[in-house]
Amino acid sequence: PYTKLSSDNLDNGFVQPPPLRVRLICELVGTCLFIFFGAGCATKTDNLLTVSAAHALVTVWLVYVFGPVSGGHFNAGATIAFAFDGKMKIIEVFGYLIAQAAGALLSGALLLALYGTGTTLGTPGLQPKVTVMHGFAIEFLCTIVLSFVICFTTAYNKHKEAAFPIGLVVFSSFLLGADRDGAALNPWRWLGPAVASGTYHSEAWIYAVGPIGGFLVGYILFRLYKWSWNFNRNTQFLQV
Amino acid sequence: PYTKLSSDNLDNGFVQPPPLRVRLICELVGTCLFIFFGAGCATKTDNLLTVSAAHALVTVWLVYVFGPVSGGHFNAGATIAFAFDGKMKIIEVFGYLIAQAAGALLSGALLLALYGTGTTLGTPGLQPKVTVMHGFAIEFLCTIVLSFVICFTTAYNKHKEAAFPIGLVVFSSFLLGADRDGAALNPWRWLGPAVASGTYHSEAWIYAVGPIGGFLVGYILFRLYKWSWNFNRNTQFLQV
Amino acid sequence: PYTKLSSDNLDNGFVQPPPLRVRLICELVGTCLFIFFGAGCATKTDNLLTVSAAHALVTVWLVYVFGPVSGGHFNAGATIAFAFDGKMKIIEVFGYLIAQAAGALLSGALLLALYGTGTTLGTPGLQPKVTVMHGFAIEFLCTIVLSFVICFTTAYNKHKEAAFPIGLVVFSSFLLGADRDGAALNPWRWLGPAVASGTYHSEAWIYAVGPIGGFLVGYILFRLYKWSWNFNRNTQFLQV
Amino acid sequence: PYTKLSSDNLDNGFVQPPPLRVRLICELVGTCLFIFFGAGCATKTDNLLTVSAAHALVTVWLVYVFGPVSGGHFNAGATIAFAFDGKMKIIEVFGYLIAQAAGALLSGALLLALYGTGTTLGTPGLQPKVTVMHGFAIEFLCTIVLSFVICFTTAYNKHKEAAFPIGLVVFSSFLLGADRDGAALNPWRWLGPAVASGTYHSEAWIYAVGPIGGFLVGYILFRLYKWSWNFNRNTQFLQV
């Protein structure tokens, strides 16, 4: 999930930008499905490749399908970073966050119905020998990369084209972190299963602070990257 | 499998829509191959990633190859949902269903010849601790998503482009369900191996009712989604 | 490997069709690399997904890179089927077959240098409980599908676009057969490792007769498919 | 990583070629991320498919994102081969190499922070029964193929299109070598983890000589390939 919202990217033959209500539906459904298929697989298996594939594949098709409509955030970090960009109104920012939270809670309920109690429903958690700082570093570093790549690819590509590289970054990140800190990369990915299964650990703040901080830093790095292009005015971006 | 049939999508340089006999051949062959490669892999292994990949990969290339001709249903659920849409004639609907059923039975015969008796030939079935309602929920929920994504992607893309995200939804769904209820998502996926291997369980109705119901609900949700766009006439779809 | 040779498909900005010597280089190198990476992985592991991925991935990039030049056969079955089509001269057919055989023997020598004696170097062979007829059926059926899909996709797409679905058919076929009869799908895939490792079994004819027969039948089925389109002249292909 | 730098390939809507400072940033960041995600996965697991996927996936998205800016070398072998081509200035060659080395050392530091001491941090090394010559052959042969494919694909395609086949060659190469000699294919892939973990073996020269030699030979083979096209002037390349 998590691509940049831009009124310029009117893929899919729309004559006007999508209305807010439609975008909120997409954010709610997309966040729900990301957690449903991701955590739903992580509930059953701890095979690193399988769990990473599950999160990456759902990311690709969600961004492909919903990206052209809502921007495909599905992530509080992405929404806050783009709010920072100044292209979203306050009402939009809060709408996105509330829709995403509702989607996360809905997915938790679905997972609870499907797997019952007695499991963490794929709630991310630190594995043995992984310290809180290690877990925070994984969340923070991977979402910096994810945020930078989302800014980069959606600046020059349509969402449908960006879906594949963005999904691959998610794949790489989960291969790095899924068997270490559970690799949320997304506060909602933690929230949904955690609330539904009643799994709370004192270190759970890393799944909120890490991704939101990482998305902001990634966004700032992308601004710096663009600034370095135009530094001496010899070169200019055609777009962005 | 399972993309939307539309006479607008004349990919592949056709000057006229394909004749019905050609489309029925594609549905028969496609349904047969989907089950042959999917169940043929599930007969041998219960590795979650391997079985899920087998069903997803065959979906991608079948929709890519046959989608532009027949719409690439290969699924009673898809055909019934599109019949509901009013774009298929009665003769087409029955032709599609009969061709698909014939393909399913043919694939069952091929699998029986290849693996012999003494195996279920990959017939989907409930795993221990998975209740009938859990199995039904997996079939129902995953096909709602599949149906919605098929409607969504084929409304705005050529079949060749839609083949990849549709295959990924199948991948996600099998990662969720393949080791729980066997994840048919398709009545024929159950029928072919079940008839050939003589595997009947009382709960087998979930593999017919779940996918057909899910496809109908997914189709209705897509209509609602489109209706919500045009609700107050400020925004319009260019296509669909 | 194995896409259709056509002077119409002048991808890659060529102003004239490639000269025969260049095409023979591509066939030799491509056949060598297909076996080198495919059998080189099968020598080490019998994990079904890993071995299948190894053969599929190399197919995709070989067809992508060399397909626009030589047609990307890399397979005696493909060359004989296209010779049947009448579009190749006798000298081309023999040149292709000799180049492919040389590539296969070269890859066997490379594998022998890399792994030494005491292994079959990934030579395909029947697993326990798999009869000769089962093995033949896998080779024959999978290459029928492969041949049909190659004809189908290269008739309507550039080689670069066809590379992905063709590679996926190879993936599906190996998921079906790699742990049953070793899944050559290609006489050279058997020849190279077999000669280098001195592995000969009496049933090895299935790896020659199966793929060559399958490619011919797949080609004939595609002709029948096209004939069924144009049967009553109401519909016509724009291309092919 | 490792695609060809060409001022002709101005993807991404740039009105001028990127300034050197921006390209150096991309090389530093890209080399760092390739090693971070590749070696970061190899530190934890020796599953052949998982490790190979980790290196291939990060290659695809790095070339997709940074390829249009810096050419996406991320590899001393690629830079030296392209320097040989005469299209890079001396200052560019040294800049690229220094930026890549800095990225490699940075990734090593990140991995050390994440995994601590007591591990090789995924430093490539010879497995039991694999001789130094076997290891050198794997590095040398795979980078010949990689270099040839990079020259081939970037000569006729945009970097975004070339990213996928290039990543697949990396995938094939790691499936061949990751469980034999660790498959660096890149001097920096060895340097970063080796320095950070203090892992030095006498045979480590193969990870520098193999890839650099392989890239040069692959580049020369591509020049020979092009020369064979134009040998008798009947056929010409439109491009390159």
Side-chain angles (χ1 to χ4, degrees):
Chain A
Y2 354 87
T3 59
K4 191 181 176 185
L5 177 71
S6 163
S7 60
D8 303 331
N9 292 353
L10 295 179
D11 305 278
N12 278 350
F14 303 142
V15 290
Q16 289 189 21
L20 182 57
R21 66 174 174 277
V22 172
R23 288 191 272 141
L24 295 183
I25 292 170
C26 287
E27 286 295 312
L28 189 154
V29 172
T31 310
C32 176
L33 292 177
F34 175 66
I35 300 168
F36 181 66
F37 286 109
C41 183
T43 304
K44 299 178 303 180
T45 179
D46 55 5
N47 180 289
L48 180 59
L49 187 59
T50 307
V51 168
S52 301
H55 288 86
L57 298 170
V58 70
T59 301
V60 173
W61 62 261
L62 281 176
V63 174
Y64 192 96
V65 171
F66 294 122
V69 180
S70 74
H73 296 193
F74 314 146
N75 193 329
T79 299
I80 290 169
F82 295 132
F84 215 71
D85 197 36
K87 289 190 181 161
M88 292 180 79
K89 295 175 197 161
I90 289 288
I91 182 86
E92 288 179 320
V93 174
F94 281 99
Y96 268 51
L97 293 175
I98 292 166
Q100 291 163 3
L105 296 174
L106 176 59
S107 75
L110 288 172
L111 290 171
L112 188 63
L114 217 52
Y115 292 102
T117 53
T119 152
T120 68
L121 297 175
T123 308
L126 299 180
Q127 298 302 303
K129 298 191 195 171
V130 180
T131 68
V132 175
M133 281 316 295
H134 286 163
F136 175 76
I138 292 171
E139 297 299 312
F140 186 61
L141 292 174
C142 289
T143 46
I144 290 175
V145 176
L146 185 56
S147 176
F148 188 86
V149 170
I150 290 170
C151 291
F152 207 105
T153 54
T154 57
Y156 309 115
N157 303 279
K158 292 187 177 179
H159 279 92
K160 287 182 201 171
E161 296 168 339
F164 191 55
I166 290 171
L168 292 185
V169 176
V170 173
F171 210 142
S172 293
S173 299
F174 273 80
L175 284 174
L176 190 83
D179 60 351
R180 301 271 295 167
D181 80 326
L185 307 186
N186 187 332
W188 310 125
R189 173 67 183 76
W190 172 83
L191 185 77
V195 169
S197 65
T199 309
Y200 301 102
H201 295 293
S202 59
E203 75 273 17
W205 61 269
I206 65 170
Y207 303 111
V209 178
I212 292 173
F215 264 96
L216 285 171
V217 171
Y219 168 77
I220 292 166
L221 289 178
F222 182 66
R223 303 299 300 188
L224 285 174
Y225 169 82
K226 289 208 298 182
W227 174 81
S228 76
W229 265 76
N230 296 314
F231 178 59
N232 57 4
R233 296 273 166 196
N234 282 336
T235 320
Q236 289 183 325
F237 271 25
L238 199 62
Q239 305 181 315
V240 177
Chain B
Y2 356 87
T3 60
K4 192 181 177 186
L5 176 70
S6 164
S7 59
D8 304 329
N9 292 352
L10 296 180
D11 305 278
N12 277 350
F14 304 141
V15 290
Q16 289 190 19
L20 182 56
R21 65 174 174 275
V22 173
R23 288 191 272 141
L24 295 184
I25 293 170
C26 287
E27 286 294 312
L28 189 154
V29 171
T31 310
C32 176
L33 292 177
F34 174 67
I35 300 168
F36 181 66
F37 286 109
C41 183
T43 304
K44 299 179 301 181
T45 180
D46 56 5
N47 180 289
L48 180 59
L49 187 59
T50 307
V51 169
S52 301
H55 288 85
L57 297 171
V58 71
T59 301
V60 173
W61 62 261
L62 282 176
V63 174
Y64 191 96
V65 172
F66 294 123
V69 181
S70 75
H73 296 194
F74 314 146
N75 192 327
T79 299
I80 290 170
F82 294 132
F84 214 72
D85 197 36
K87 289 189 182 162
M88 292 179 79
K89 296 175 194 162
I90 289 288
I91 182 85
E92 289 180 320
V93 174
F94 281 99
Y96 268 52
L97 293 175
I98 291 167
Q100 291 163 3
L105 296 173
L106 176 58
S107 74
L110 288 173
L111 291 170
L112 187 63
L114 217 52
Y115 292 102
T117 53
T119 153
T120 68
L121 298 174
T123 308
L126 299 180
Q127 299 302 304
K129 297 192 196 170
V130 180
T131 68
V132 175
M133 281 317 295
H134 286 164
F136 175 76
I138 292 171
E139 297 298 312
F140 187 61
L141 292 174
C142 288
T143 46
I144 289 174
V145 175
L146 184 56
S147 176
F148 188 86
V149 169
I150 290 170
C151 291
F152 207 106
T153 53
T154 58
Y156 310 114
N157 304 278
K158 292 187 177 180
H159 279 91
K160 287 182 202 172
E161 297 168 338
F164 192 53
I166 290 171
L168 292 184
V169 176
V170 172
F171 210 142
S172 294
S173 299
F174 273 80
L175 284 173
L176 190 83
D179 60 350
R180 300 271 295 169
D181 79 325
L185 306 186
N186 186 332
W188 311 124
R189 174 67 183 77
W190 171 83
L191 184 76
V195 169
S197 66
T199 309
Y200 301 102
H201 294 293
S202 60
E203 74 274 16
W205 62 268
I206 65 170
Y207 303 112
V209 178
I212 293 173
F215 264 97
L216 285 172
V217 171
Y219 168 78
I220 292 165
L221 289 178
F222 182 65
R223 302 298 300 187
L224 285 173
Y225 169 81
K226 289 209 298 181
W227 175 81
S228 75
W229 266 75
N230 295 314
F231 179 60
N232 57 4
R233 298 273 164 195
N234 281 335
T235 321
Q236 291 183 324
F237 272 25
L238 199 61
Q239 304 181 318
V240 178
Chain C
Y2 354 88
T3 60
K4 192 182 177 186
L5 177 71
S6 163
S7 59
D8 304 330
N9 293 352
L10 296 180
D11 305 279
N12 277 349
F14 305 142
V15 290
Q16 289 187 21
L20 182 57
R21 66 175 175 276
V22 173
R23 287 191 273 141
L24 295 183
I25 292 170
C26 287
E27 286 295 311
L28 189 154
V29 172
T31 309
C32 176
L33 292 177
F34 173 66
I35 300 168
F36 181 65
F37 285 109
C41 184
T43 303
K44 300 179 300 182
T45 178
D46 55 5
N47 180 289
L48 180 59
L49 187 60
T50 307
V51 169
S52 302
H55 287 86
L57 297 171
V58 72
T59 300
V60 173
W61 63 261
L62 281 175
V63 174
Y64 192 96
V65 172
F66 294 123
V69 181
S70 75
H73 296 193
F74 315 146
N75 191 328
T79 299
I80 290 171
F82 294 132
F84 214 73
D85 197 37
K87 288 189 183 162
M88 293 180 79
K89 296 175 196 161
I90 288 288
I91 182 85
E92 288 180 321
V93 174
F94 281 98
Y96 267 52
L97 292 176
I98 291 167
Q100 291 163 3
L105 296 173
L106 176 60
S107 74
L110 288 173
L111 290 170
L112 187 63
L114 216 52
Y115 293 102
T117 54
T119 152
T120 68
L121 298 174
T123 308
L126 299 180
Q127 299 303 304
K129 298 192 196 171
V130 179
T131 68
V132 175
M133 281 316 295
H134 286 163
F136 175 75
I138 292 170
E139 297 298 312
F140 187 61
L141 293 173
C142 288
T143 46
I144 290 175
V145 176
L146 184 55
S147 176
F148 188 85
V149 169
I150 290 169
C151 291
F152 207 106
T153 53
T154 58
Y156 309 114
N157 304 279
K158 293 187 178 180
H159 280 91
K160 286 183 202 170
E161 296 168 337
F164 191 55
I166 290 170
L168 293 185
V169 176
V170 172
F171 210 143
S172 294
S173 299
F174 273 81
L175 284 173
L176 191 82
D179 60 351
R180 301 271 294 168
D181 79 326
L185 307 187
N186 187 332
W188 311 124
R189 173 68 183 77
W190 171 83
L191 185 77
V195 169
S197 66
T199 309
Y200 301 103
H201 294 293
S202 59
E203 75 274 16
W205 60 268
I206 65 171
Y207 303 112
V209 178
I212 293 174
F215 264 97
L216 285 172
V217 171
Y219 168 77
I220 292 167
L221 290 178
F222 182 66
R223 303 298 299 188
L224 285 173
Y225 169 81
K226 289 209 297 180
W227 175 80
S228 75
W229 264 76
N230 296 313
F231 179 59
N232 57 4
R233 296 272 164 197
N234 282 336
T235 321
Q236 290 182 325
F237 272 25
L238 200 61
Q239 305 181 316
V240 178
Chain D
Y2 353 89
T3 61
K4 192 180 177 184
L5 177 71
S6 163
S7 59
D8 304 330
N9 293 351
L10 295 179
D11 305 280
N12 277 349
F14 303 142
V15 290
Q16 289 188 23
L20 182 57
R21 65 175 175 275
V22 173
R23 288 191 272 141
L24 295 183
I25 292 171
C26 287
E27 286 295 311
L28 189 153
V29 172
T31 310
C32 176
L33 292 177
F34 174 67
I35 300 167
F36 181 66
F37 286 110
C41 183
T43 305
K44 300 178 302 180
T45 178
D46 55 5
N47 180 289
L48 180 58
L49 186 59
T50 307
V51 169
S52 302
H55 288 86
L57 298 171
V58 71
T59 301
V60 173
W61 63 260
L62 281 176
V63 174
Y64 192 97
V65 171
F66 293 123
V69 180
S70 74
H73 296 193
F74 314 146
N75 192 328
T79 299
I80 290 170
F82 294 132
F84 214 73
D85 197 38
K87 289 190 183 161
M88 293 180 78
K89 296 175 195 161
I90 289 289
I91 182 87
E92 289 179 321
V93 174
F94 281 98
Y96 268 52
L97 293 175
I98 292 167
Q100 291 162 4
L105 296 173
L106 176 59
S107 75
L110 288 173
L111 290 170
L112 187 63
L114 217 50
Y115 293 101
T117 53
T119 152
T120 68
L121 297 175
T123 308
L126 298 180
Q127 298 303 303
K129 298 192 195 170
V130 180
T131 68
V132 174
M133 281 315 296
H134 286 164
F136 175 76
I138 292 171
E139 297 299 311
F140 187 61
L141 292 173
C142 288
T143 45
I144 290 175
V145 176
L146 184 56
S147 175
F148 188 86
V149 169
I150 290 169
C151 291
F152 207 106
T153 53
T154 57
Y156 310 115
N157 303 279
K158 292 187 177 179
H159 279 92
K160 286 183 202 171
E161 296 168 339
F164 191 55
I166 290 170
L168 292 184
V169 176
V170 173
F171 210 142
S172 293
S173 299
F174 273 80
L175 284 174
L176 190 83
D179 60 351
R180 302 271 294 167
D181 80 327
L185 307 186
N186 187 331
W188 310 125
R189 173 67 184 77
W190 171 84
L191 184 76
V195 169
S197 66
T199 309
Y200 302 102
H201 295 293
S202 59
E203 75 273 16
W205 60 270
I206 65 170
Y207 304 111
V209 179
I212 292 174
F215 264 97
L216 285 171
V217 171
Y219 168 77
I220 292 166
L221 289 178
F222 182 66
R223 303 298 300 188
L224 285 173
Y225 169 82
K226 290 208 296 180
W227 175 81
S228 75
W229 266 77
N230 296 314
F231 179 59
N232 56 5
R233 296 273 166 196
N234 282 336
T235 321
Q236 290 182 325
F237 271 26
L238 199 61
Q239 304 182 316
V240 178

